[in-house]
Amino acid sequence: MADELDLPAAYTQDTWLETVSRRLGRPIYCSQMPVKLLRLLALVHSECITGFTLTYRDGWLILLSADLSEAQRPVVLGHELARICSGDVPAGTDPHTNTDVAQALFALLGLAEPRDAPSER
C-alpha cells in the first residue's frame, strides 16, 4: 500500500499525513496525547500506549505520545495510519457533530479539543 501512496522521498510527518489524507479523501488531525488520556489508558492497558486513533469530526484524530523519540515517531505514526487505511478505525461523517467519541472523551476528561489544523488543506 505504501507504494500506492506515492510518498515523497524526504519524509516529514506533515507530508505523510497530507498524502494519506488526500488519498482517503478525509482529514486526518494529529496532536499530542493529553497526559490525562495517557493516564486513563494506562489503567486498562498494561503496556505503554504510544499512539491512539479515534473517529473525529469528518475524519480521524491521531494522538501521539510526547515521549516518542525521533526514531519512534514515524513508526508509531505509520502504525496509526495503517489502522486508518485498513478500516480498523471508521471515519467520522459530520464535521459539526458533537457526538463523536473523541469529543465525548475530551469532555469527560475536561480537556480542550486539539487545536492542530487538519492535514487536509
Side-chain angles (χ1 to χ4, degrees), residues 4 15 19 27 33 42 58 68 76 89 93 111 117:
E4 294 173 15
T15 56
T19 302
M33 191 179 309
D58 54 341
L68 295 174
V76 175
V89 181
T93 56
L111 300 170

Side-chain angles (χ1 to χ4, degrees), residues 6-103:
D6 194 29
L7 292 170
Y11 163 85
T12 68
Q13 176 178 308
D14 288 342
T15 56
W16 202 359
L17 287 168
E18 287 172 13
T19 302
V20 175
S21 176
R22 189 172 41 255
R23 171 81 177 194
L24 298 176
R26 292 184 182 269
I28 300 173
Y29 303 84
C30 190
S31 189
Q32 183 173 312
M33 191 179 309
V35 175
K36 286 183 179 180
L37 177 57
L38 199 53
R39 288 181 187 148
L40 178 66
L41 292 172
L43 295 174
V44 293
H45 290 283
S46 57
E47 68 276 1
C48 178
I49 304 294
T50 54
F52 195 73
T53 300
L54 299 159
T55 299
Y56 186 69
R57 295 183 182 162
D58 54 341
W60 302 272
L61 170 63
I62 297 175
L63 298 171
L64 299 174
S65 172
D67 296 336
L68 295 174
S69 69
E70 289 297 314
Q72 292 171 317
R73 192 171 187 84
V75 173
V76 175
L77 180 60
H79 172 83
E80 297 305 321
L81 287 171
R83 293 187 64 226
I84 289 170
C85 291
S86 69
D88 190 30
V89 181
T93 56
D94 184 354
H96 307 293
T97 184
N98 289 323
T99 58
D100 282 336
V101 172
Q103 288 176 324

